[in-house]
Amino acid sequence: MAIDGETKDIEQYRCEKCNAPYPLGADDVIATCPYCGFTFTVGGDEIGRHLLLPNKLSPDEVVDVVKMWLSFAAGKSVGRGIMDQVEIETPDLRWIPFFRVRGNCQTYHLGGKKEKRGNRTVWKKIERSENEEAEIWVIARRHAATFGVEEYIETFQGLATEDFDISSTEAPVLNAEIGEEDANPRALYRKSEEDRVHLQEELDRLFDYRINMDVTDRSYTHAPYWLVRYNYMRGTFRVAVSGATGEVILGELPVTKLYRMKRWLTSIVMFIASALLFQALPYATAIILQSSTDSEALLVPVLLFGGGAFLWVAGLIFLGHVLRYEVTLTASGKEREDAFDFTDSVSSLGRRRR
Ligand SMILES: [Zn+2]
């Protein structure tokens, strides 16, 4: 059962060190012998430094962590009632390959911020050069459909590593589909994307952003990733747990009838309120036009229109939730709206540049 769900051409390979035969995927760039742990670039040399983030959890502990999180997260969204019918399957551990890239980053950005001066708005120029030591993690898989991997990477900062030892893995060790030479540009790209997202939150306009990185250390590192499936009614849902921190990364919850009903009612209330505001609009405008000469009173119909449109859109969003089959929640029990999707922001960046 492959997590990444891809079937690839597989060839038999014989380990250079222990002579054991094992299969190698067609896309594998760095491979680890499942018997002795010998790790090398396919068609090349042994990898210099190979680390791992130690796994803290046994399968039973993973189940406990998932149960606790499910009860907490369900309480915040679909209701704790689901817990009576949840059946948790045996957790599945995989070691996923990453590169940890460390270095000194020199960044420069130029942007603008709107500021109110009395009753007019002025642009304030913001220009900054910074120097910082950064630690950036990138996944070493190309078919990175791993559930919650973005959230997983965010938990890696500052975690203690150990030298890789195959005897402590006790589960499949996935091979890398990205070579060491691709790690640095990917790390740089990742860092600049994160910076841009932060800057766009902080500034009203970002005119220029530049980054340069002197890489001081790069380590090939495997991290323990648990995928837990559970059944509820007749559906199957996933929860990802980090063996490195012992905590849930991301999980799915079934949308219950009660939850659906609440969203449904909320959207109906919003549509009705929106319709009432729109209905009131012509009357309010007529009354104001007849009785008042004050031009600021015209703000009333504008606000009515704005409020009506807002409620209508909000109603549509809630109605969209009604049609969903599951909700995805982060470790802290917040619903993930896919507001920040890495590939999405990458493609929007590409459009911006053109
Ligand atoms: Zn071997």
Side-chain angles (χ1 to χ4, degrees):
M1 194 174 60
I3 287 176
D4 290 3
E6 296 259 337
T7 39
K8 292 161 204 154
D9 301 330
I10 295 215
E11 60 171 291
Q12 278 298 317
Y13 180 84
R14 210 167 260 283
C15 178
E16 236 176 80
K17 208 170 171 190
C18 73
N19 210 29
Y22 64 89
L24 213 56
D27 292 329
D28 292 350
V29 177
I30 302 171
T32 299
C33 171
Y35 302 99
C36 72
F38 180 69
T39 300
F40 63 101
T41 303
V42 175
D45 297 329
E46 183 173 6
I47 283 287
R49 273 177 86 198
H50 188 190
L51 305 173
L52 59 75
L53 292 169
N55 174 43
K56 289 183 177 173
L57 299 173
S58 68
D60 287 346
E61 288 167 331
V62 173
V63 170
D64 289 343
V65 167
V66 168
K67 268 192 196 150
M68 254 170 61
W69 180 83
L70 274 178
S71 156
F72 155 77
K76 287 189 115 184
S77 57
V78 299
R80 249 184 212 124
I82 64 158
M83 292 311 291
D84 304 337
Q85 291 180 66
V86 162
E87 284 169 41
I88 298 178
E89 291 181 7
T90 313
D92 187 25
L93 173 64
R94 294 280 144 125
W95 291 84
I96 300 183
F98 295 89
F99 288 106
R100 186 189 67 190
V101 181
R102 286 175 171 165
N104 181 270
C105 288
Q106 302 100 46
T107 57
Y108 164 83
H109 68 261
L110 173 67
K113 212 172 158 64
K114 279 186 203 164
E115 255 180 22
K116 279 242 177 253
R117 294 247 174 91
N119 51 7
R120 63 194 187 99
T121 311
V122 291
W123 281 91
K124 193 180 156 201
K125 178 176 149 187
I126 309 246
E127 191 174 22
R128 226 180 289 157
S129 295
E130 273 164 326
N131 230 315
E132 58 165 322
E133 295 301 323
E135 176 182 301
I136 306 149
W137 290 79
V138 287
I139 187 163
R141 305 276 292 176
R142 276 196 286 135
H143 308 285
T146 309
F147 178 65
V149 74
E150 277 303 316
E151 286 80 1
Y152 191 29
I153 287 181
E154 280 165 24
T155 65
F156 288 168
Q157 282 293 331
L159 287 183
T161 51
E162 286 175 7
D163 283 336
F164 184 85
D165 176 7
I166 192 77
S167 66
S168 66
T169 54
E170 294 173 335
V173 175
L174 302 192
N175 290 337
E177 293 159 342
I178 287 161
E180 287 194 292
E181 68 288 351
D182 284 335
N184 292 8
R186 277 175 192 253
L188 191 65
Y189 185 67
R190 190 182 171 84
K191 166 93 173 111
S192 68
E193 274 305 286
E194 284 173 0
D195 282 358
R196 276 173 192 277
V197 170
H198 289 144
L199 287 170
Q200 265 152 6
E201 275 165 16
E202 185 197 327
L203 305 169
D204 293 303
R205 273 300 250 300
L206 179 64
F207 300 114
D208 195 8
Y209 170 87
R210 280 174 233 168
I211 181 165
N212 179 53
M213 184 176 182
D214 300 319
V215 173
T216 52
D217 175 72
R218 186 182 57 215
S219 314
Y220 184 54
T221 309
H222 274 97
Y225 170 91
W226 292 90
L227 188 69
V228 184
R229 290 176 200 278
Y230 70 92
N231 301 306
Y232 171 79
M233 308 290 260
R234 250 168 281 156
T236 305
F237 303 88
R238 301 172 293 178
V239 180
V241 178
S242 164
T245 62
E247 280 165 24
V248 166
I249 305 161
L250 196 68
E252 292 167 338
L253 290 170
V255 168
T256 55
K257 278 191 188 129
L258 183 68
Y259 179 85
R260 199 166 269 145
M261 191 81 88
K262 276 189 197 159
R263 296 276 160 150
W264 179 239
L265 281 176
T266 313
S267 68
I268 287 178
V269 168
M270 283 177 171
F271 283 133
I272 292 174
S274 159
L276 286 175
L277 287 183
F278 279 127
Q279 283 224 320
L281 195 58
Y283 300 105
T285 316
I287 290 168
I288 286 160
L289 284 179
Q290 278 166 17
S291 63
S292 170
T293 50
D294 186 359
S295 67
E296 280 195 9
L298 279 172
L299 263 178
V300 174
V302 172
L303 287 177
L304 279 178
F305 181 82
F310 174 80
L311 283 168
W312 191 73
V313 171
L316 271 185
I317 292 172
F318 270 77
L319 191 63
H321 287 184
V322 169
L323 303 173
R324 287 189 306 184
Y325 174 68
E326 80 234 341
V327 280
T328 306
L329 271 75
T330 60
S332 57
K334 273 212 314 230
E335 266 187 54
R336 188 176 75 165
E337 293 289 347
D338 293 313
F340 175 64
D341 182 332
F342 204 68
T343 44
D344 254 19
S345 63
V346 168
S347 58
S348 70
L349 184 76
R351 279 198 296 278
R352 211 165 54 227
R353 274 186 185 146
R354 246 171 263 139

